[in-house]
Amino acid sequence: MQLPSLTMTEYSIVFNILSFTIATMGAAALFFFLAAQTVEPRYRLGVYISGLVVAIACYHYVQIFLSWNGAYTLQAGAYVPTGKPFNPAYRYVDWLLTVPLLLTELVAVLNLPRNVGRPLQVKLIVAAVLMIVLGYPGEIATAASTKWLWWAVAMVPFLFIVYTLFAQLSAAVARQPERVKDLVAGARWLTIISWSFYPIAYLAPVAGLSGSTSEVVLQIGYSIADIVSKAGLGLYIYGIARAKSDIAEPAVSPA
């Protein structure tokens, strides 16, 4: 993937957002691992998964940060490519690990019966893996038609996930205790809204933006979406687990 030259401001914006994301993910991981001890054992899995998600993301953002720095050098007041590649695969490896975990923690905190929760998790995980794998060829493509093609194909499992979160989990959300119903609904909405940033940022190179602007928008969009969908959702998961720990609650059925 050929990188554009960047102004000092453009380079610094990406540099700072990557640095901020590393700090956010690292701090969130520490918080979730420690906070898991404050909820009942049956709800700890979701909180521990939240910690694992942001810990994995923190590691990959360090790699993205190093790759970004290695890909540019300052010359005559502008940052120009060094010839070393900036590797977008770090993001996709991260998503391949963390996106299924995000869906797992969302389902886990609902405390569904095992015969309902496990098949639901399997369907969501398979769809998530397909979405990421199908999106990567378009990410590294230079032709607009190729990028649009793989975007459209990857949107099929994405829309399936959105449909499942709404249609198949609506009854389960409605049967949650009143103290956590709004939190559960909010976690579901946060997942859907934050995930919507990814296909938008993905299209930055073919959506009227070009050169350095496209690259900056892409990196900012992905980073913000990762912070919201991982650290943000983790806070919701912890809030739900903490609230449920304060009340007696049997497993709920989605129907």
Side-chain angles (χ1 to χ4, degrees), residues 30-110:
L30 181 62
F31 171 78
F32 293 138
F33 286 134
L34 294 176
Q37 300 302 315
T38 67
V39 303
E40 285 192 1
R42 60 176 168 167
Y43 300 122
R44 288 177 187 170
L45 177 61
V47 182
Y48 277 130
I49 292 176
S50 296
L52 180 60
V53 165
V54 290
I56 293 171
C58 183
Y59 166 77
H60 282 110
Y61 265 93
V62 169
Q63 298 302 322
I64 293 169
F65 182 82
L66 294 175
S67 182
W68 179 260
N69 285 343
Y72 281 99
T73 185
L74 181 63
Q75 290 183 6
Y79 279 89
V80 298
T82 61
K84 296 180 182 178
F86 174 64
N87 190 357
Y90 287 127
R91 289 194 186 277
Y92 278 79
V93 172
D94 176 74
W95 294 336
L96 197 60
L97 295 172
T98 59
V99 171
L101 289 173
L102 287 169
L103 293 170
T104 297
E105 67 180 280
L106 185 58
V107 174
V109 81
L110 292 175

Side-chain angles (χ1 to χ4, degrees), residues 115-138:
N115 66 323
V116 175
R118 286 196 173 179
L120 181 61
Q121 286 178 339
V122 170
K123 288 193 297 184
L124 289 172
I125 288 172
V126 170
V129 170
L130 283 174
M131 176 181 66
I132 296 162
V133 170
L134 292 172
Y136 184 68

Side-chain angles (χ1 to χ4, degrees), residues 1-7 10-11 14 68 72 79-81 86 139 141-142 147 201-220:
M1 183 175 64
Q2 187 174 0
L3 293 172
S5 296
L6 304 174
T7 66
E10 290 170 334
Y11 178 86
V14 177
W68 179 260
Y72 281 99
Y79 279 89
V80 298
F86 174 64
E139 181 74 37
T142 55
K147 188 174 289 288
Y202 183 96
L203 291 176
V206 293
L209 302 177
S210 61
S212 60
T213 301
S214 172
E215 187 64 35
V216 171
V217 169
L218 185 69
Q219 298 306 323
I220 292 174

